[in-house]
Amino acid sequence: MNALLQFFTDYELAIYLILGAGAVFSLRILFTAWSEWRLAVFGLEKELIFQRVRISGSFLILFLLIGLSQFCLVTFIVPFLPASAVLLTPTLNLTQGATAFSQAGSSPEGITATPAPPPGSIDCIPGQLVFTFPQPGDEVSGKITLRATVNFPDLGFFKYEYAAAGSEEWMTIAAGNEMKTDEELNPWDTTNLTPGDYLLRLVATNNVGEALPPCIIPVRVLASP
């Protein structure tokens, strides 16, 4: 299943081109057969031609349905699948993912140390996996636009979630599979949340399906005005 999702995601454009060519070819045959059927005089001849009309029409509908299914799959389904089910391409062994990413901030000579994570955060890596807004301990209310950095070359998938402090019931806000550098994410609407302490969590997985330690920050939700 994972390999199939990977195939439909990676070759989306090629699939559309093949389906489009098949649809055009079927439409051409359908139009030609329909024109011949209208001009046919004998009953047996009309019946044989109409068989071609039915077959070419069926192929045309099939190509259109497959194209629609492909569009729905890569647009509405794949981005919201669990991290382990998305983009599994065996290109790099990251079994020591946390160590590798913590070393990425060092210079080739190993002189520059990895930037310190924001105070109050857990397992956040500046420049790679970190919320840039809000900051740990910030007070928020209403609908806020989150900002984050998710930036490493082997990104497969990421999602961001929230939970009440002390709870393990994480609620997904949204997800994506493109790298971000201090960029806006989908808004987080806190209007209907009970005021209090909450945690925001940024979860990322590489393209071999290995989840990295999530970046977690505490925030306080205030009553909306």
Side-chain angles (χ1 to χ4, degrees), residues 5-73:
L5 292 174
Q6 175 72 28
F7 175 82
F8 284 126
T9 302
D10 287 349
Y11 298 98
E12 179 181 4
L13 180 59
I15 292 172
Y16 286 141
L17 291 176
I18 293 172
L19 292 175
V24 170
F25 183 71
S26 299
L27 183 62
R28 182 171 175 235
I29 295 177
L30 176 62
F31 180 77
T32 302
W34 180 259
S35 300
E36 292 178 1
W37 181 81
R38 293 181 59 190
L39 297 175
V41 176
F42 301 103
L44 180 59
E45 181 184 10
K46 290 177 74 73
E47 183 177 347
L48 291 175
I49 294 175
F50 197 70
Q51 289 278 359
R52 292 166 52 199
V53 173
R54 285 200 298 263
I55 293 173
S56 56
S58 298
F59 273 103
L60 177 61
I61 294 173
L62 179 62
F63 284 127
L64 293 177
L65 289 177
I66 294 175
L68 180 61
S69 300
Q70 164 74 11
F71 175 78
C72 292
L73 178 68

Side-chain angles (χ1 to χ4, degrees), residues 10 15 33 47 52 56 101 107 140 148-149 162 176 179 184 190 197 199 203 213-214 221:
D10 287 349
I15 292 172
E47 183 177 347
R52 292 166 52 199
S56 56
F101 287 108
S107 67
V140 298
T149 293
Y162 72 90
M179 290 192 292
E184 291 185 355
T190 68
D197 293 327
L199 299 176
V203 182
V221 173

Side-chain angles (χ1 to χ4, degrees), residues 133-163:
F133 181 82
Q135 292 291 309
D138 280 358
E139 296 180 340
V140 298
S141 64
K143 182 179 289 188
I144 64 170
T145 299
L146 303 174
R147 298 183 68 91
T149 293
V150 184
N151 185 18
F152 47 88
D154 300 291
L155 173 67
F157 170 87
F158 72 91
K159 62 180 178 178
Y160 35 107
E161 309 169 311
Y162 72 90

Side-chain angles (χ1 to χ4, degrees), residues 140 162 164-165 188 190-198 220-224:
V140 298
Y162 72 90
W188 178 33
T190 68
T191 305
N192 297 321
L193 296 180
T194 302
D197 293 327
Y198 287 80
R220 174 162 292 180
V221 173
L222 304 180
S224 299

